[in-house]
Structures are given as C-alpha cells and as structure tokens.
Amino acid sequence: MDQTREMNDRECEKVNEAYARGCENFTESQLDEVLSEDQLAHEKAAKLGGFFEEFELLWQMLKDYHSGAYRDVPWKFIAAAGFAVFYLLNPFDVIPDVLPVIGYVDDVAVFGLVLSSFKSEIEKYKKQKISCDNQKKGV
C-alpha cells in the first residue's frame, strides 16, 4: 500500500461527516478533556507535518478561551478547533493512526477544514495575541 496516498472519496466523505457532527456536538466538558491531554496532543500534532505552528496557535487559543483570557470568538469556532484536537487524540478515527504515515492523513484533513473555515477568526486571534505580547514586552 502506498503510504503517501491521499484519501479516497469515501474517506473524505466520512471525515466531512465526522467533522460536521463533531463540531455540532462538541461540549465544554470535552474541551476540558482535550486540554488535559497537553503532552499527547503535542506529540500527535508533531505528526501533522506543516500544520504544527497552526496547531500551536489553535491550542493556545483554546487555552485562552478556557481560562477566560480570550472570549471574543464564536463557540462554533471553539467547537471546531476543539473537535480537531479531539479527533487528533482519537487513534481510531476514519484512518486509524496505527497505520504508519497514512494514519494521520485524515487528521490533517480535519485541521485543514478548521483552518480554511475560520481564517478570519484565526487572524483576529493572532493579531490580538501579538498585540498582548507586545504590551507585555512594553513595545
């Protein structure tokens, strides 16, 4: 089996269905659960290839939302980002993570859905984060 293959149409459909259902049903308690898995989430995110920086930004946003430091964001975005991490943590998703290399293709697809669906919200958070960091540094 080609380990660098893309998802087939059926796998894409399953990922899209899982994403839609997961975002719709994601809860505050699941956010608590996801955020309690810091080390595992970062270990798995390292396997997302070029998405690690984006993962780190979304992770920080979820933590800021959870702590109350950043609430200027719709729950729909928090649910989508939280579900993306939840999906990443789940080893038995559309393409099981135990399959070398290809096991993370669907995880990358879910992160891609979040990144493409919420570009403006991500940019807004990024700008706010930079502004806060600059204020702390006295810039």
Side-chain angles (χ1 to χ4, degrees):
M1 177 178 255
D2 178 7
Q3 293 187 341
T4 59
R5 73 169 176 84
E6 294 182 11
M7 291 188 302
N8 63 39
D9 289 343
R10 181 66 188 131
E11 290 166 334
C12 285
E13 186 178 313
K14 284 183 176 182
V15 166
N16 285 323
E17 289 171 1
Y19 175 74
R21 193 172 46 255
C23 293
E24 185 178 315
N25 297 320
F26 196 77
T27 65
E28 286 271 351
S29 63
Q30 285 175 305
L31 181 59
D32 293 343
E33 185 181 324
V34 162
L35 291 173
S36 73
E37 297 290 345
D38 187 281
Q39 183 176 347
L40 180 60
H42 280 81
E43 287 170 8
K44 288 195 158 205
K47 297 177 182 176
L48 293 176
F51 284 107
F52 188 78
E53 282 185 36
E54 290 85 350
F55 164 83
E56 192 58 46
L57 182 67
L58 292 178
W59 183 259
Q60 189 59 51
M61 187 215 42
L62 290 172
K63 287 175 47 179
D64 286 349
Y65 178 87
H66 189 260
S67 73
Y70 184 72
R71 289 290 180 143
D72 189 21
V73 60
W75 173 253
K76 183 177 181 178
F77 177 37
I78 295 298
F83 175 73
V85 177
F86 181 82
Y87 191 90
L88 177 66
L89 292 169
N90 181 359
F92 303 107
D93 43 33
V94 172
I95 302 175
D97 296 347
V98 296
L99 298 173
V101 182
I102 65 167
Y104 286 90
V105 170
D106 58 325
D107 300 71
V108 169
V110 169
F111 268 90
L113 287 169
V114 173
L115 296 174
S116 65
S117 299
F118 296 98
K119 285 180 185 177
S120 64
E121 292 296 338
I122 293 168
E123 273 307 306
K124 184 177 168 184
Y125 175 72
K126 196 180 217 179
K127 286 177 184 175
Q128 184 268 350
K129 190 77 175 151
I130 290 169
S131 176
C132 285
D133 289 349
N134 286 339
Q135 285 178 354
K136 288 178 185 176
K137 292 177 186 175
V139 175

